[in-house]
């Protein structure tokens, strides 16, 4: 199956699952009087919006290069990832504000045991989604899909925090342990912290791609080895490898025999570019400049 179709299918699976979980956690969070479960429902709802953003990013990213975007539209996925990251941070702040207000006001609402069952279901589904999307995202080199996978993992972690908080609140109420009755609200703050931290990590990772940070020397060495397979290349003077969304663009300077004709030099650049793209699936384009090579005595 085409890579983009795999990404779109995985994203739609996530959207459907999140709609189910948002409704499930929202309804039972209300019926079970659980702030932590309601906070978790809000987190799942943010996943839906995030997935829709990812779909848009992937759709734009696959567009071919044009006059205004000669390097293609690969960064659309990265932009989508940044939007998802800031959405996570916004949701986390909103959840924490609501929880703090609840604690300050002294409002104590003991959740019902039903909330525990819903949370366990959520954890299982979210972890399954994380494993599926993370593995696929790494395989097809999609930063947007990987970021969405981590969004699911953050939801699973937040559900675990909610599970602990709800259970502690129920235990505190049953055995008359005063401080434990606030555990449900405290758990929603823990959920908020997890969500904010995950959003920050995703924003930091995506910003590296947006700033076009060059790849590490180990990665670049693979490209250099491929170039030297061409017998006409005397020296690789410089290689800049920068990320552009899910793919890489190379800027290469080579030294070749100074006595070659322009046509021969042009042929060499085509051969090197073709070899790089064929040997490295992540290489989308290579801009090659030739320098004259003179023997030194």
């Amino acid at each position: 199956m085409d890579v983009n179709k795999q990404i779109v299918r995985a994203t739609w699976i996530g959207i459907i699952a999140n709609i189910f979980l948002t409704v499930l956690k929202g309804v039972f969070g209300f019926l079970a009087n659980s702030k932590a479960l309601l906070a978790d429902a809000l987190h799942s709802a943010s996943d839906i919006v995030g997935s829709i953003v990812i779909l848009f990013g992937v759709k734009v990213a696959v567009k071919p290069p044009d006059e205004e975007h000669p390097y293609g539209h690969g960064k659309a996925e990265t932009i989508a990832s940044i939007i998802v990251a800031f959405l996570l941070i916004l949701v986390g702040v909103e959840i924490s504000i609501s929880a703090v207000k609840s604690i300050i006001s002294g409002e104590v609402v003991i959740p019902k045991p039903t909330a525990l069952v819903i949370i366990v279901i959520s954890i299982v589904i979210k972890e399954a989604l994380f494993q599926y999307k993370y593995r696929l995202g790494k395989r097809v080199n999609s930063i947007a899909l990987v970021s969405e996978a981590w969004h699911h993992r953050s939801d699973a972690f937040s559900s675990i925090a909610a599970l602990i908080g709800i259970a502690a609140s129920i235990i505190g109420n049953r055995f008359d342990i005063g401080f434990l009755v606030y555990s449900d609200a405290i758990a929603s703050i823990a959920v908020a912290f997890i969500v904010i931290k995950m959003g920050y990590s995703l924003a930091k990772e995506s910003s590296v791609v947006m700033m076009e940070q060059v790849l590490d020397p180990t990665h670049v060495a693979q490209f250099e080895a491929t170039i030297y397979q061409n017998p006409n290349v005397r020296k690789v003077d410089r290689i800049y490898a920068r990320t552009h969304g899910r793919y890489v663009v190379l800027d290469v300077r080579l030294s070749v025999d100074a006595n070659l004709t322009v046509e021969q030099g042009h042929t060499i650049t085509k051969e090197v570019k073709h070899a790089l793209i064929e040997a490295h699936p992540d290489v989308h384009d290579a801009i090659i400049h030739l320098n004259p090579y003179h023997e030194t005595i």
Side-chain angles (χ1 to χ4, degrees), residues 36-285:
L37 190 54
L38 286 172
D40 215 25
L42 183 59
H43 190 186
S44 293
S46 73
D47 279 355
I48 299 172
V49 178
S51 294
I52 293 172
V53 171
I54 295 299
L55 278 177
F56 176 77
V58 171
K59 184 177 180 180
V60 174
V62 298
K63 290 183 177 180
D66 53 38
E67 290 185 4
E68 294 182 351
H69 308 89
Y71 298 109
H73 302 75
K75 285 188 179 178
E77 278 194 56
T78 309
I79 294 172
S81 297
I82 291 175
I83 293 173
V84 171
F86 280 104
L87 180 64
L88 278 170
I89 294 172
L90 182 63
V91 169
V93 171
E94 180 61 31
I95 292 172
S96 61
I97 291 174
S98 176
V100 169
K101 284 182 177 178
S102 174
I103 294 174
I104 292 176
S105 67
E107 178 186 350
V108 178
V109 180
I110 307 302
K112 297 176 182 177
T114 311
L116 296 175
V117 178
I118 305 303
I119 285 291
V120 171
I121 293 173
S122 174
I123 292 171
V124 172
I125 293 176
K126 279 298 182 177
E127 182 61 23
L129 285 171
F130 167 78
Q131 294 294 338
Y132 168 53
K133 291 189 178 182
Y134 182 80
R135 293 171 189 270
L136 178 59
K138 285 295 185 181
R139 190 170 76 245
V140 302
N141 196 29
S142 171
I143 187 173
L145 198 58
V146 170
S147 71
E148 195 182 9
W150 280 110
H151 202 165
H152 291 309
R153 170 58 70 83
S154 73
D155 210 353
F157 284 160
S158 68
S159 292
I160 292 174
L163 178 68
I164 295 171
I166 293 169
S169 185
I170 293 173
I171 292 172
N173 182 61
R174 180 165 298 179
F175 295 99
D176 197 23
I177 305 175
F179 68 92
L180 284 183
V181 297
Y182 291 98
S183 297
D184 183 58
I186 294 173
S188 63
I189 295 177
V191 169
F193 174 77
I194 293 170
V195 172
I196 292 172
K197 185 176 183 301
M198 193 64 66
Y200 170 76
S201 298
L202 290 177
K204 184 178 179 181
E205 181 181 346
S206 299
S207 67
V208 170
V209 178
M210 290 299 295
M211 295 297 290
E212 295 190 347
Q213 179 176 320
V214 294
L215 300 181
D216 63 86
T218 304
H219 201 160
V220 173
Q222 300 173 12
F223 305 138
E224 187 172 343
T226 299
I227 294 171
Y228 273 122
Q229 290 177 7
N230 189 304
N232 292 303
V233 175
R234 297 296 187 88
K235 183 183 178 183
V236 177
D237 299 313
R238 188 190 75 188
I239 299 180
Y240 286 156
R242 54 191 173 88
T243 54
H244 197 83
R246 81 176 71 161
Y247 51 80
V248 174
V249 175
L250 302 178
D251 183 354
V252 185
R253 291 182 179 272
L254 307 176
S255 287
V256 297
D257 191 334
N259 297 314
L260 293 176
T261 66
V262 173
E263 185 174 355
Q264 288 173 319
H266 180 64
T267 300
I268 292 171
T269 60
K270 288 197 300 182
E271 290 173 350
V272 171
K273 180 175 180 176
H274 179 74
L276 286 168
I277 293 174
E278 283 293 312
H280 307 280
D282 56 337
V283 174
H284 178 76
D285 194 12

